[in-house]
Amino acid sequence: MTDTPMTPDQPAPVELTEQQLESLIDAGNRALNDHYHESQCHCDDWPASCVSSGHYFMGAWDTNAFAIGLPAVLSVWETLRNDRHAAKVSELRADNEALRARVAELEAAESRITAVELLVEEARDKCNHSVDTDLLLDALGLDN
Ligand SMILES: [Zn+2]
């Protein structure tokens, strides 16, 4: 691929093989031919042939417009798509951060529960019917 200098507001060119671009151009021309046939005849023999007259055949409305315009159209489309992907990546990164923060909260809560369970076990081992409030607050991670 050659590096051609671009003006600032011109999007980067889409990287397509000649064959890929050709199939897109063919699809555009096929759609155009189908459209004009549909509006002028819409027989069941289309696209193999057309019953209305010899003037209508697949390719009758082929144009260079797709070959001329598609690279520019695809460049804009690619830019739009990249912008959308960049926005999605930012969104996913934010979600990821929020989830990591939530995991940290849940892990902290789990370790507080474990600390309280240990406190209760220790109290039972000593046949105590209550736990020290300061120790409980400490196990819960609360300031006392
Ligand atoms: Zn027809």
Side-chain angles (χ1 to χ4, degrees), residues 25-143:
I25 291 166
D26 289 348
N29 277 321
R30 207 166 40 247
L32 208 58
N33 280 276
D34 287 344
H35 170 82
Y36 285 122
H37 174 264
E38 181 69 23
S39 67
Q40 295 175 23
C41 175
H42 57 80
C43 68
D44 290 335
D45 292 357
W46 188 261
S49 61
C50 181
V51 295
S52 65
S53 92
H55 300 301
Y56 299 152
F57 56 92
M58 181 54 85
W61 292 276
D62 277 4
T63 169
N64 263 340
F66 294 106
I68 295 165
L70 260 181
V73 170
L74 291 174
S75 289
V76 173
W77 177 78
E78 189 174 55
T79 301
L80 296 173
R81 190 185 58 173
N82 287 346
D83 289 350
R84 202 177 61 221
H85 287 174
K88 190 67 187 170
V89 166
S90 295
E91 191 185 309
L92 290 173
R93 283 205 175 114
D95 285 354
N96 190 30
E97 254 176 63
L99 288 172
R100 281 177 191 278
R102 186 67 185 130
V103 165
E105 282 173 18
L106 292 172
E107 283 171 350
E110 190 180 2
S111 78
R112 286 194 300 270
I113 288 172
T114 304
V116 170
E117 283 170 349
L118 280 174
L119 201 60
V120 170
E121 265 179 48
E122 279 173 23
R124 279 195 183 136
D125 288 348
K126 293 174 187 168
C127 295
N128 289 343
H129 296 288
S130 62
V131 289
D132 182 78
T133 308
D134 287 344
L135 290 177
L136 181 62
L137 289 172
D138 192 44
L140 289 170
L142 300 171
D143 289 332

